[in-house]
Amino acid sequence: MRRATWEQRADEVESLLRLLFRAYEGRVALSASFGGGGVVLAHMVSRIDARVPVLFLDTGFHFPETIAFKQRFAQRYGLRVVDLSTAHDATPDGLYRTDPDRCCRARKVEPMRRALADYDVWITALRREQSETRQSIGVIEQQEVDGRSILKVMPLARWTRRDVHEYLAANGVPSHPLLERGYTSIGCWPCTRPTVAGESERAGRWSGTAKTECGLHAFARRKGRAV
Ligand code: SF4
């Protein structure tokens, strides 16, 4: 019987993760916000090697549902979640309104940049389909962070939203509760709204402004695409 696309893609991703976990033992981390594809990768990590750390950016502005879901998920699958936070009181109140780029830099970019000093491989759940700015991502890219070369791996680059949904359903893996309430991309509560039919997946992020990305996937410099 012919296998579904998501099954073939899941096999490929699992093989890639196994290879990376063996070749870079102790030097690999997954970052996940537990909103969408990150849940797929976190589930695979739990099946392959639950010692691999799952980095979670604790911005101080997550929906309570995100924090609760992350905790339940980590417990259920025995994951080693590492909360990355910054001195939240170091940024003025309401900075997300007056200068969201600075807010993202302080609460997302800098904590991730500091954390990556401990790793040679950074795995993320970015998908090409998510937005125009992500259409050219590779599955594996060599990038430079603070003058150091790392591999940024995006195993779900070719996955569709439907692949993610089908993987989770077929494996009985729970998904973020806000997805059912119209949030197609889930970030910090001040900067996220549900979307409506016809809108792009990330249209609810920083809605009404020109901002489309937090900068988390732009601070490292791409040196080439390996795959
Ligand atoms: S998404 Fe909004 S609240 Fe979260 S760090 Fe960025 S600007 Fe601040």
Side-chain angles (χ1 to χ4, degrees), residues 59-62 91 95-97 99-109 187-192 205-206 211 213-214:
T59 63
F61 286 120
H62 282 294
T91 57
L95 190 62
Y96 54 79
R97 259 192 311 271
D99 193 345
D101 283 341
R102 203 174 129 213
C103 187
C104 281
R105 213 160 38 242
R107 292 168 185 266
K108 293 185 173 186
V109 176
C188 298
W189 63 261
C191 307
T192 309
R205 306 290 292 275
W206 305 283
K211 185 172 167 68
E213 295 281 351
C214 59

